[in-house]
Amino acid sequence: VYNQPDERLGYTWLRREAKPEALVVTVFGWDGRGSGGRLAAATGQRVFAGHWIETVNFDAKIGQLRQFYDSDTPDAWRREFLQAIGAVYVWFDDDARALGDWDPSQADYLLAVFRSGPVVIYRVIGL
């Protein structure tokens, strides 16, 4: 498995800064594309959506992630979603960008704590 240099830097940051039980919102699809599987394998971190065979309610989670990244979704829904799943971080990369046109940098409940190239890790705050 080849990980992009920016991804590897993000994995290093998570291994150093995040508690192992901290849930990271990641994406993954039936086509095998997405950050969840790679991130879990590289860090051992809990992820929202990892490999399909290791993710409970995979189809439902794909739908939730599409709604999360859809710019038409109200921020109130996103806040409730993050709180309900107990998310601590959001891993935002090109795979997440491919799901929708929402820009997490505009959310006052997310704080960018890591940035390298297309990879941004946001900490969930103020919920």
Side-chain angles (χ1 to χ4, degrees):
V1 174
Y2 175 76
N3 296 311
Q4 297 293 329
D6 296 316
E7 287 178 316
R8 288 195 308 270
L9 290 170
Y11 301 155
T12 299
W13 186 91
L14 279 172
R15 282 192 300 269
R16 185 181 67 240
E17 300 294 331
K19 294 179 180 178
E21 67 275 8
L23 180 67
V24 181
V25 174
T26 53
V27 301
F28 202 81
W30 283 110
D31 60 0
R33 295 186 52 168
S35 55
R38 295 188 309 269
L39 192 147
T43 67
Q45 198 70 44
R46 286 183 58 225
V47 296
F48 180 71
H51 190 276
W52 64 268
I53 203 165
E54 297 173 336
T55 301
V56 176
N57 300 321
F58 188 73
D59 282 327
K61 287 183 176 183
I62 289 173
Q64 289 171 308
L65 288 166
R66 284 191 179 121
Q67 185 169 355
F68 185 77
Y69 287 108
D70 184 339
S71 62
D72 292 332
T73 298
D75 271 341
W77 184 93
R78 285 190 195 88
R79 287 175 182 270
E80 290 173 17
F81 169 71
L82 293 170
Q83 188 169 30
I85 66 171
V88 178
Y89 298 101
V90 174
W91 177 278
F92 190 64
D93 61 4
D94 289 336
D95 293 316
R97 285 178 188 88
L99 284 183
D101 55 356
W102 176 66
D103 180 3
S105 71
Q106 303 303 308
D108 63 358
Y109 49 91
L110 297 176
L111 175 66
V113 292
F114 172 85
R115 186 182 312 268
S116 182
V119 175
V120 184
I121 301 173
Y122 292 93
R123 181 162 179 78
V124 179
I125 60 172
L127 294 184

